Amino acid sequence: MNIPPIEAFWSRKPEELMQQLSVTANGLSQAEAESRLKTFGANSLTSQKQKTVLKLLFSQFTSPVVVILICADILSLFLGDATDAIIIFVVIAVSGLLGFIQEKGAYDAVSKLKNLIKSNSQVIRDGVAKSIPSEEIVPGDIVVLTAGNLIPGDGLLIESRDLYVGEAALTGESFPVEKSVETVPANATINQRTNSLFMGTNVHSGQCKLLIAATAKNTEFGKISQRLNITPAENEFAAGIKKFGYLLAQVTGILVIVIFGVNVGLHKPVLDSFLFALALAVGLTPQLLPAIISVNLAKGTRRMAEVKVIVKKLESIENFGSMNVLCSDKTGTLTEGVISLNECMDNKGVPNAPLKKYAYLNAALETGFSNPIDESLRILTGIADISQYKKTDEIPYDFTRKRLSITIEENGAQTLISKGALNKVMEVCTLADNGDGQVVPMATMNDKILALYNSYSEQGLRTLGLAIKTIPLGQKITVADETGMTFLGILTFEDILKEGIDNTIKELLGLGIRLKVISGDNHLIAAHVGGKLGLRNDNIITGPMLELMRTDALVEQINSVDIFAEIEPNQKERIILACKKAGNVTGYMGDGINDAVALHAADVGISVNSGVDVAKEAADIVLMEKDLHVLTNGVREGRVTFANTLKYIFMATSANFGNMFSMAGASLFLPFLPLLPKQILLTNLLTDLPEMTIATDSVDDDWIRQPRRWNLNFIKKFMVIFGLISSVFDYTTFFVLLIVLHSNMVQFRTGWFLESVISASFVVLIIRTRNSVFRSRPSRYLLGATILTMLVTIYLPYSPFAGLFGFEPFSFVFFAAMIGMVVLYGITAEIAKKIFYKYVKM
């Protein structure tokens, strides 16, 4: 059905908009929804187009250097050199096909993992509520929303109950906004559209049914993102890869131009010189780097998934491995997260039955955001027959009042029951029960109540206050009615520490990660728990203290503080930013409505699959279990992935770079090209084969124990030192071939091809680790690929294809000399490695 654009949908009545959208209270039919999805497209602000197999294959050959080489090769074909042209084509095709196979596997694996944590929404289709991916929502859908849900599109409320929505992402308004079904004028601003919800915002409390009027780019959020052309910020690793690419491009460009010019100046064939220069460029360019990075990251995500860690954004793996500070909440992470009622104490510290009854009714009848405390009260039995009580009104919990109030009708009267943070309940009370059944002025009980509170907190118990008030029957309540109440007593709860959590925290410290607890609990509880866990609890920053601190003072202190207590939700982001300013790579772990901003601010936002939609959406990494032990396993895998990605870069910038540099230099004094273009490309292909298995390689403990960060200066120094060592042995090979063995042109090319490939493959086993090659064993795949490459290389001059590639068999004397040089090269590289790592820090 063709639905015209709907202007100012917020100014219409629900039934009018439903008629215009051709939908009934039973929602769309599945067939109609599928039809509209084809018309309107996926409900996403990012492209949903999947890379086709052909596009992925074609992308392997789009490098400018490769394109130029193919064009030059075609020219060579037309000029009559068909054999060489075909060989070059085959080598390029095989290299591209290998990259395609690797990248296709990585792409498929990551796509499957991302499907595990897609955001879903409850919609009514064919009269039945069902969960579907949010991307499949279309205009006309009726969505059922509750606390913690992300709003998947712009729409009009058709039902609403105690609904408060966080619109900070769209309007900048810090506090949740109350919503209702009352119609507003067509010229109402976004802030005034109290009957409408918008994509990208989230439900704080209450529930509703929303009629979707706009999706994807037609939403308010979509229009803003299109105007601003919003793109995600580039992380440190991606920026480093780009700088590394620029560095190689500069070196390659200068080298190719100089080599081509000099060879032409020496009256060597122009076409051969051009192909030689381009082949050198291919050899110098680590063209498999994108595929290697994709494979490493994809394999890393698979390994992390095996330890119940799902990576949403691949580039976040680098930050995950570099993380040295983790900020986390307490409940459910350090503790079991199963809060149980300890006791309901009156103001003398004695268990009190009426207090327990009112606490039960308040929790059982509230309809806002479900939380562990209320759940622990709802399971109480034998307290009250809930059917005998009629709930008449409710004021949902919010993060400013920190109270939840309901009214019930009992015995012909109406009672207001407020439960919440102790200080927030005390501040609305003018009276208190003294524990003997007498109501006295609140001022006379303050000290006794606070003494009880301190005593419970020192025992690690969480506390809530409860107060009641009689109001006229039939009166609707507002926040203004939460005053002049009578304080009945204190509810105490306990949440025991997770078994083995102290060992897990030691594991984190062993990985170079300092845990910082950000808790809403009071400082006494936080100190009690922190002490049990071995955290530093002598210096605790509380929310009120944080309010008075300047940012520079917080940054100065933050590395010496492990516990933040009595923290307001809007203060979490400030703590995260201060950690980052103090030079830390900071992770934040949270799963609640009020964690989204902090998750976004952190270098690594970590949520859990059981968390609310808004938290999972803001996170980079999602844990399938809310357990720090799961996180430590993920950190290890993240560091393995980062280490193996850097290994390829080290390899590409050492032996390969040295060989190509030597080849360029040799072409300046030899009367012939040192290697033919097809031989250079074959060298490049064979040396890449072992490196393609690098994602499977084992990683030394010293890489895993400490966080690592991208360091381009380190890579430059590595490239220069090990590239020069490679070149020294290349020139030694020239000397042996020309002066000792008196090789002709074909023998020289064959001998140097053998030495180049074998030495480059062998040295991979040495430079892959900073430790001795005998102490750090490579994976069987890397070792197997290296040995296979060497054997294939040695066989080529004796194979039926030797003539096609311009090779001829060599004598035993050369092989003995070559083995000697390769062994000496390995010993030199091993010694140089020890000296290099002693003076150059990663």
Side-chain angles (χ1 to χ4, degrees), residues 237-430:
F237 185 72
I241 291 291
K242 185 178 288 185
K243 290 177 183 176
F244 172 67
Y246 289 151
L247 171 68
L248 286 185
Q250 290 169 357
V251 173
T252 302
I254 293 170
L255 201 59
V256 166
I257 292 170
V258 170
I259 295 306
F260 175 67
V262 170
N263 276 293
V264 171
L266 293 173
H267 305 293
K268 295 174 184 175
V270 175
L271 183 59
D272 285 350
S273 297
F274 184 55
L275 285 170
F276 175 77
L278 288 176
L280 269 183
V282 173
L284 283 168
T285 306
Q287 70 267 30
L288 281 181
L289 183 58
I292 294 292
I293 290 175
S294 296
V295 170
N296 270 315
L297 293 180
K299 189 166 185 64
T301 59
R302 287 198 296 269
R303 282 198 300 248
M304 290 168 78
E306 289 171 5
V307 294
K308 301 180 180 179
V309 178
I310 305 298
V311 179
K312 278 181 61 186
K313 301 172 186 174
L314 290 183
E315 61 274 14
S316 67
I317 287 181
E318 186 274 335
N319 279 341
F320 199 43
S322 302
M323 180 175 68
N324 68 307
V325 167
L326 173 65
C327 298
S328 173
D329 60 358
K330 176 176 67 66
T331 304
T333 306
L334 308 179
T335 65
E336 289 291 347
V338 181
I339 295 177
S340 58
L341 178 67
N342 178 264
E343 195 49 86
C344 299
M345 299 291 195
D346 66 16
N347 295 326
K348 289 177 66 177
V350 177
N352 183 278
L355 177 62
K356 184 178 286 190
K357 181 191 80 169
Y358 285 122
Y360 168 73
L361 291 172
N362 177 282
L365 296 173
E366 67 96 6
T367 57
F369 178 56
S370 178
N371 62 83
I373 286 178
D374 282 343
E375 288 170 8
S376 71
L377 291 168
R378 288 179 190 138
I379 63 173
L380 295 175
T381 57
I383 305 302
D385 182 358
I386 199 167
S387 65
Q388 302 298 312
Y389 298 89
K390 178 184 177 184
K391 175 187 169 185
T392 52
D393 206 357
E394 177 176 356
I395 306 175
Y397 179 89
D398 65 57
F399 298 106
T400 304
R401 293 165 39 253
K402 293 190 175 180
R403 293 186 298 271
L404 166 65
S405 295
I406 69 164
T407 54
I408 61 169
E409 190 178 316
E410 61 172 340
N411 303 323
Q414 189 168 225
T415 303
L416 170 64
I417 310 170
S418 289
K419 175 182 95 272
L422 190 76
N423 62 325
K424 293 294 186 179
V425 173
M426 289 177 69
E427 72 183 21
V428 297
C429 292
T430 55

Side-chain angles (χ1 to χ4, degrees), residues 120 144-151 201-204 593 612-614:
N120 288 341
V144 180
L145 298 166
T146 57
N149 289 158
L150 273 175
I151 293 156
T201 62
N202 60 283
V203 180
H204 267 244
I593 297 168
V612 299
D613 291 344
V614 66

Side-chain angles (χ1 to χ4, degrees), residues 494-553:
E494 59 183 342
D495 184 11
I496 62 174
L497 291 175
K498 282 190 173 178
E499 186 176 353
I501 188 64
D502 51 344
N503 292 328
T504 302
I505 291 174
K506 288 177 184 175
E507 279 186 65
L508 284 172
L509 280 172
L511 291 170
I513 300 173
R514 188 101 210 164
L515 178 67
K516 297 185 185 295
V517 177
I518 302 177
S519 175
D521 287 335
N522 69 69
H523 67 284
L524 295 172
I525 294 178
H528 175 83
V529 173
K532 279 191 169 184
L533 295 173
L535 300 178
R536 297 172 295 192
N537 63 358
D538 55 329
N539 184 17
I540 296 176
I541 292 180
T542 65
M545 291 167 61
L546 196 61
E547 284 294 322
L548 301 175
M549 291 181 74
R550 297 194 315 273
T551 298
D552 56 346

